[in-house]
Amino acid sequence: MKTAHNVAQGVFIALTALLSLYVGLVALGVLDEDPTFVGVVAVSVVIITCILKMRDLFNDALASERGPRWMASLALSVTALLMALVGGGYQATHMSDLLSASPFFEPLQLTMGAVFLAAVVLASMLHWGLILPGIVTIAIAYFFYGHRLDSPLFSHPPYDLGFVLNYLALDPSQGVFLFLRTLTADLWFLIIFGAILVGIGVVRLFMELGNAIGTKVAGGAAFPAIIASGAVGSILAQAVASTTIIGRLTIPAMMRSGYSPSISGAIETLAATSGQLMPPILGLAAFIMAALLNTPYASIALAALIPALLYLAALVFAVMSYSARLRIGTISVKVDWHAIWRLLPAFVVPFGAVMWLLMRYVSPAIAGSLGIVLAICIWALSGRYRVSAREVWTGVVTGFELVILLAILILLIGPLAQTFQSTGISNNFGLYLALLVPDSKFVILLVSAVVVMVLGMGLPTPIAYLASVLTMGSFLIQVGKVDALLAHFFLFYFAVFSTITPPIAVGALAASKIANVSYWYIGGQSLKIAVPMFILPFVFVYNPALLEFPRVSWALAFVVALVLLVQALLASAQFGYLFRHLSGFERTFLFLVAAAGFVALLADGVTSKVVFAAVALLIGVYLYWTGRTGP
């Protein structure tokens, strides 16, 4: 089995490297992008996905973990691989013929399309479990047989076999191929770039920076988690991966400093989740958003910056209030400043170059490729802080794994989106909700938020976001009269929040294993800390200036200041400390004032905002003064 594992690993790396080279040559314009390109990429992704699973299975076999489930997984991998070779191979070599024949396909063409569609679903099951492929399978069945439903809401006109398969698997711009160009043009090299950054040692940089802050600020043990997990989550686009990598260091450190296990896990979970909201990658969902809105990805990434920073500010306020109430002080660690100064260029130069290129609307593929080259060059000049070549290679392989796993996810969600678009069910659902929900913008937003968090339970962020857009997007835009960009960001934020709120919070689950405490405790504390974050989507819908970066104004600065005041008051009310311990009455009063501030942020005029700001500042001065002199 060791030989089989090594062979599978070698084949996986070789095929992914060749596919990356092909994608890069097309992205750089060296090769033309024709219909054959998407076919080759799609079939390659499915084949590599199967080989990756076989590698993992052979590795399990080395630990004597063979049984009926192992055999079933191996059989499924081989089956999906053969179906991809047959069905996908046919499509990749006959894409021009398929375009000419559409929608009057021959039986062989229909069969090959169905075989490849099944291969995509089966291959996705190997790594993403049964839930997501099951949802997509239901959507595909609905596309075929939804006309038989006796319901004006869910029924659709009858479609023939050629029409359905053309939209799901035979047209190079529809179905499984719907988001493929987004994957290759925007995502591919940024994911590999992020993994290489982690591989060259930036995790140590972020940990040292967190330690440097922690030695100066009360509650200091939380800051390595906030900085390192947020940064790693951002560049890997995977909150759970960030929790696993960073949490094993930060959660025990927080517990030793006096944080409870549940709070430690919650802080780590929320810090890692911030990476889903922070540029440059935003957990893949931003690329789907750019495709759906037909907007350059750079515009989406820039718009996301200020709300993401406000999310982190809310987490910092919660940490400061909690640690002050329990008298958790700074941490006593020796900060390796020389390591910081030596490692800082390894992150700042390539990351800064990538962000600068993205802000100038350069192709993400070009920006990511340049970032990879810069990262490798600076790693070679890092002196005694240079990690081993083996660790860098591990980063490259990790990047290959991440991009393939996200690629098969991209192929999988295409038929789901296509079904909603082609059958019109999303418009029907929106019209149905319009009959039930009062004609109030705030109520419409609130209902949308609840529906999205329910839909997104247990789903990866990209799927949760896409499901929310498909079901609630038209309702929010047409009935709620919300601008399309604001509506998509609103749904995106609550899709992210669905991953941190019980009963199915995948981020909290990873943290609970490290903290060795009940998942429910961590999920509950995560929900408590996240309350000040939940107001952000409502605020930027009513204050669009928050999404207009890099355009800045005094109005933007004023709104940001008000949001910070509301978040600080909410955190203090929750944890009972603002310059001093707060009584039950004072905590209730602060909560009511924060609620009034939230209402003011949603109001049209400035009077209520100014009044709230004045009251909040007076409360802060009073508590600060009484904290110094005694209440």
Side-chain angles (χ1 to χ4, degrees):
M1 282 297 177
K2 185 174 182 180
T3 301
H5 170 268
N6 292 337
V7 170
Q9 174 78 330
V11 172
F12 163 72
I13 293 173
L15 290 180
T16 309
L18 288 173
L19 181 58
S20 299
L21 177 62
Y22 180 45
V23 170
L25 291 175
V26 172
L28 294 174
V30 177
L31 297 178
D32 293 331
E33 181 180 332
D34 53 27
T36 302
F37 169 70
V38 294
V40 170
V41 172
V43 68
S44 299
V45 165
V46 178
I47 291 171
I48 296 171
T49 299
C50 297
I51 293 172
L52 179 60
K53 183 61 178 181
M54 292 179 187
R55 183 206 68 179
D56 295 340
L57 289 171
F58 295 145
N59 187 58
D60 293 340
L62 292 174
S64 301
E65 296 182 9
R66 280 183 284 180
R69 186 172 181 177
W70 186 92
M71 293 298 298
S73 295
L74 182 59
L76 182 62
S77 302
V78 173
T79 301
L81 176 61
L82 294 175
M83 293 174 70
L85 287 170
V86 174
Y90 178 87
Q91 284 187 277
T93 54
H94 294 79
M95 194 63 77
S96 297
D97 295 337
L98 292 173
L99 280 172
S100 301
S102 176
F104 306 104
F105 299 106
E106 297 177 359
L108 176 62
Q109 294 171 325
L110 293 174
T111 300
M112 292 298 101
V115 168
F116 182 62
L117 180 61
V120 170
V121 175
L122 292 178
S124 64
M125 290 172 57
L126 299 173
H127 295 281
W128 291 101
L130 297 176
I131 296 178
L132 297 183
I135 293 173
V136 174
T137 300
I138 292 172
I140 293 171
Y142 172 74
F143 204 159
F144 277 105
Y145 303 110
H147 62 279
R148 297 185 179 182
L149 297 175
D150 187 18
S151 167
L153 175 61
F154 295 108
S155 182
H156 61 69
Y159 306 120
D160 62 38
L161 181 64
F163 178 90
V164 176
L165 282 176
N166 179 59
Y167 273 101
L168 290 180
L170 294 173
D171 189 314
S173 63
Q174 309 288 345
V176 293
F177 308 105
L178 185 61
F179 298 113
L180 194 63
R181 287 181 175 84
T182 297
L183 167 72
T184 56
D186 295 339
L187 181 64
W188 196 280
F189 292 100
L190 286 180
I191 292 292
I192 297 174
F193 165 65
I196 291 176
L197 278 184
V198 173
I200 65 176
V202 297
V203 171
R204 181 180 178 185
L205 168 66
F206 296 133
M207 290 296 294
E208 291 291 350
L209 288 173
N211 287 335
I213 296 175
T215 59
K216 305 296 183 182
V217 180
F223 287 93
I226 294 174
I227 294 177
S229 291
V232 172
S234 175
I235 59 182
L236 285 183
Q238 292 283 328
V240 176
S242 177
T243 301
T244 303
I245 294 171
I246 307 298
R248 58 188 176 85
L249 303 174
T250 58
I251 290 176
M254 283 188 279
M255 293 167 58
R256 289 193 298 268
S257 294
Y259 289 90
S260 71
S262 57
I263 285 288
S264 300
I267 292 172
E268 173 59 43
T269 298
L270 294 171
T273 302
S274 70
Q276 303 285 295
L277 306 171
M278 184 71 71
I281 298 176
L282 289 94
L284 172 61
F287 295 91
I288 300 174
M289 187 188 303
L292 294 175
L293 292 174
N294 195 25
T295 300
Y297 164 72
S299 299
I300 303 295
L302 291 172
L305 181 61
I306 292 178
L309 293 176
L310 290 173
Y311 174 100
L312 285 174
L315 180 57
V316 170
F317 285 139
V319 166
M320 293 174 67
S321 182
Y322 177 87
S323 60
R325 181 171 63 87
L326 295 184
R327 301 186 183 279
I328 300 174
T330 60
I331 54 176
S332 298
V333 296
K334 184 178 179 180
V335 179
D336 191 340
W337 286 102
H338 193 260
I340 291 176
W341 293 118
R342 292 291 294 178
L343 291 171
L344 197 60
F347 171 73
V348 171
V349 173
F351 189 82
V354 168
M355 290 301 297
W356 182 79
L357 290 172
L358 291 176
M359 289 178 65
R360 296 182 66 85
Y361 295 94
V362 173
S363 164
I366 295 176
S369 301
L370 179 61
I372 291 171
V373 173
L374 287 175
I376 297 298
C377 290
I378 293 177
W379 162 77
L381 301 173
S382 297
R384 66 187 180 93
Y385 292 99
R386 181 176 61 208
V387 301
S388 67
R390 183 181 182 86
E391 291 178 270
V392 178
W393 178 245
T394 299
V396 173
V397 174
T398 300
F400 284 173
E401 293 172 355
L402 286 174
V403 78
I404 290 299
L405 292 178
L406 291 175
I408 192 65
L409 183 62
I410 285 283
L411 295 182
L412 177 67
I413 63 180
L416 178 66
Q418 192 67 59
T419 297
F420 273 81
Q421 292 177 2
S422 299
T423 62
I425 187 175
S426 57
N427 290 330
N428 293 343
F429 187 71
L431 292 174
Y432 178 73
L433 282 178
L435 299 175
L436 300 178
V437 178
D439 187 16
S440 164
K441 186 174 183 177
F442 179 78
V443 174
I444 289 172
L445 289 172
L446 188 61
V447 169
S448 300
V450 172
V451 171
V452 170
M453 286 196 291
V454 172
L455 284 175
M457 289 180 180
L459 299 179
T461 298
I463 294 290
Y465 160 71
L466 183 62
S468 67
V469 169
L470 293 175
T471 54
M472 303 301 297
S474 61
F475 170 67
L476 200 54
I477 295 170
Q478 297 173 14
V479 180
K481 308 299 182 184
V482 178
D483 177 79
L485 177 65
L486 298 174
H488 276 252
F489 260 99
F490 182 90
L491 297 172
F492 167 55
Y493 259 68
F494 280 101
V496 172
F497 292 154
S498 71
T499 67
I500 61 176
T501 54
I504 306 176
V506 291
L509 183 62
S512 68
K513 295 178 180 178
I514 300 172
N516 195 26
V517 68
S518 170
Y519 150 82
W520 289 100
Y521 290 151
I522 291 181
Q525 293 292 356
S526 297
L527 182 60
K528 178 181 178 180
I529 297 174
V531 169
M533 304 166 184
F534 282 12
I535 71 172
L536 288 173
F538 292 92
V539 172
F540 61 61
V541 168
Y542 283 87
N543 300 272
L546 289 175
L547 296 182
E548 293 178 355
F549 185 81
R551 179 171 174 264
V552 295
S553 62
W554 287 109
L556 171 62
F558 183 51
V559 171
V560 168
L562 291 181
V563 173
L564 292 174
L565 285 173
V566 172
Q567 291 178 330
L569 292 176
L570 281 174
S572 302
Q574 286 177 309
F575 295 104
Y577 195 96
L578 182 59
F579 301 121
R580 62 173 174 80
H581 288 277
L582 303 176
S583 66
F585 171 78
E586 289 171 329
R587 294 173 69 173
T588 302
F589 181 70
L590 286 188
F591 180 81
L592 294 175
V593 173
F598 174 57
V599 173
L601 282 166
L602 306 187
D604 291 331
V606 298
T607 303
S608 58
K609 295 180 175 65
V610 172
V611 171
F612 162 71
V615 171
L617 291 174
L618 287 174
I619 291 173
V621 170
Y622 168 76
L623 292 175
Y624 175 76
W625 180 257
T626 55
R628 288 172 57 90
T629 61

